[in-house]
Amino acid sequence: MAGPGRPPGRPKTAPPILAPQAEAFLEMLAAERGAAALTLDAYRRDLADFEAFLRGAPAASAGADEVRRYLARLDATGMAPRTAARRLSALRQFFKFLLTEGLRADDPTAVVDAPRQGRPLPKILSEAEVTALIETARRDESPEGIRLSAMLELMYASGLRVSELVALPLGTVARGERAILVRGKGDKERLVPLGAEARKAIQDYLAIRPLFLAEGQVSRWLFPSRAASGHLTRMRFGQLLKDLAVKAGLDPAKLSPHVLRHAFATHLLSHGADLRSVQQMLGHADISTTQIYTHVDVERLTTLVKTHHPLAKRGS
């Protein structure tokens, strides 16, 4: 009985009882794989939900059609594809266990496709927001401000990954050329052009770069620092960007180095760049990775079709 002023404790819900084959599966997870209590509880709930869908029939007796109908039911109730895919993963492991133990001759989940999870759209900065960031950075004439301005201009002009930006060798930009050679993922090299504004920001920074070096210090990095890596870290650059967002009147939660890379790609496409060129500049191995940026430019593409497609013109 609860004491004075203490609310009675909430009664614990008894764990659902499963068919013997499912209980044996959970025992195997605990004994052979050392599954944690929370993991076992999640598997138990997933299998219990499937057996409830089967109206009490054991999960071990289900066929591929029942699994498909179950996934369709989850989708109809509005369950997130990622959660439904986790439910299917639990069923796959369960039926694999039955197959291994000789309790079943086939695996019905082997012919069932996982729910399509889609790819989340990237966060986007408008051109006006990027302009506000650049102009705010330019107004800070301190060495730190000049460095941040150069990093910002360089990233927006090239679409570099933040890891590529902070680890740029000094020799990459020392000659002031119109393009830089970037070594990206998988040690692959790509050539990325730079506009006049970015080149000027870099030259302004190079003039004060010695201020970031200790006396007599020599560094091969474009953006040297006292960090163990010898160059400015990704985390520090991210912090500087968020501070800049506040000064520019933007939501700092909306800004990160990766969002600048998104802005580079999206704004290029909105001004007519072709997808293959953007893919090459971003260093994407597969163009399907680049295609996500077409989804954030639907309005421009719709206008393009209405303006140039012959049937659209005829309809208007």
Side-chain angles (χ1 to χ4, degrees), residues 14-15 25 48 57 76 78 97 110 121 129 158 263 276 288 301 309 315:
F25 168 64
F97 162 77
L121 294 178
E129 288 172 323
S158 63
R276 183 68 66 181
S288 64
L301 295 176
H309 196 284

Side-chain angles (χ1 to χ4, degrees), residues 7 61 67 80 87-88 112 122 162 194 202 245 263 273 279 303 311 313:
S61 67
V67 175
R87 294 272 181 96
L88 177 60
V112 175
V162 62
L194 292 181
I202 293 169
Q279 176 199 1
T303 303
L311 293 181
K313 288 182 179 180

Side-chain angles (χ1 to χ4, degrees), residues 216-233:
Q217 180 187 1
V218 176
S219 174
R220 64 182 291 258
W221 306 113
L222 176 58
F223 301 109
S225 82
R226 295 188 182 91
S229 61
H231 56 69
L232 202 71
T233 65

Side-chain angles (χ1 to χ4, degrees), residues 14-25:
I17 303 299
L18 303 174
Q21 300 94 329
E23 292 288 355
F25 168 64

